[in-house]
Amino acid sequence: MTNIQPSRPIEIELYPGTGRCPDTYRQLIARAVAEVVETFERGNVHVDSRAIEKAVLMTDSEEARALLSGVFGIPSQQIPDTFCGTPDGATLYMVTEDIAEPILRKLYPSIPWRGGVEYFECVKHEITHMVHERWAIEQNGTSDAMGPPWFVESLAILVAEQFPTLAEEAPLEPGVLNEILERSEHEQISYTEFARVGYSLARSFDLRRMVEAAADQTLPDLLAYYTAISEAEDHR
């Protein structure tokens, strides 16, 4: 059964500041949670929206870096200038839209801007991580069941429907896809490349097949099957 509505309202905090969070953000986060859960449920992956209990909306970049430095116990210099959001357990940390927009435009200048929906998709991306992690722990007893980093990010992009123009491209050739995955093991990979991986796999496998393959460590088998499918189509 779909569990879209949290058992209690999500707590939303502005940082820094003590003012009331604008209703637009409350509505945006609630809608993002509902859409993420609905996408998983539509893929026959039963998840729990209570994976998110609190959202901290950060209204200043430097203050955000200082806050996250304390939360994660790392020097603020290690937090990239391009930071937009991250989960920590059941708490979501996001910069506000006015901070995120120039960052996203700078990161992805070749991707057509669609009037600010990118921020909503960014929120959905982080909420996907939270929902996916809770599912992995509840079903398998460990967050390791989320799978390797490339899959975790590709899945979040897929569920959040980021970079939709890339979803219209032809699926990656197996050699290209595997080369991206190999590079991701020792260098930073652009989210647009992870998007191409996610959208390519989604052409051949449904959401449940991918999530369960990550959980039971059979992604190599899934990738091998992807190669076999591609080669069979080439010989038609």
Side-chain angles (χ1 to χ4, degrees), residues 135-152:
W135 176 88
I137 293 171
E138 289 182 347
Q139 297 296 318
N140 302 275
T142 174
S143 61
D144 290 344
M146 295 173 72
W150 71 260
F151 179 78
V152 172

Side-chain angles (χ1 to χ4, degrees), residues 49-157:
S49 62
R50 290 171 296 182
I52 174 171
E53 297 176 357
K54 180 178 180 179
V56 179
L57 295 171
M58 297 171 289
T59 60
D60 180 274
S61 294
E62 290 304 315
E63 293 283 357
R65 290 159 66 86
L67 174 64
L68 294 174
S69 174
V71 169
F72 294 105
I74 59 175
S76 59
Q77 295 85 348
Q78 291 185 15
I79 300 170
D81 295 335
T82 54
F83 167 83
C84 286
T86 189
D88 178 43
T91 300
L92 169 66
Y93 293 91
M94 290 291 306
V95 297
T96 48
E97 186 172 4
D98 59 309
I99 297 175
E101 179 176 338
I103 292 173
L104 295 172
R105 284 181 179 269
K106 180 180 178 180
L107 284 173
Y108 311 109
S110 63
I111 300 296
W113 191 255
R114 292 167 291 127
V117 69
E118 289 79 4
Y119 179 74
F120 177 62
E121 292 167 351
C122 191
V123 173
K124 286 175 65 178
H125 179 113
E126 301 304 333
I127 290 172
T128 298
H129 287 324
M130 301 172 81
V131 169
H132 185 199
E133 180 179 35
R134 179 154 180 160
W135 176 88
I137 293 171
E138 289 182 347
Q139 297 296 318
N140 302 275
T142 174
S143 61
D144 290 344
M146 295 173 72
W150 71 260
F151 179 78
V152 172
E153 295 303 335
S154 296
L155 178 71
I157 292 167

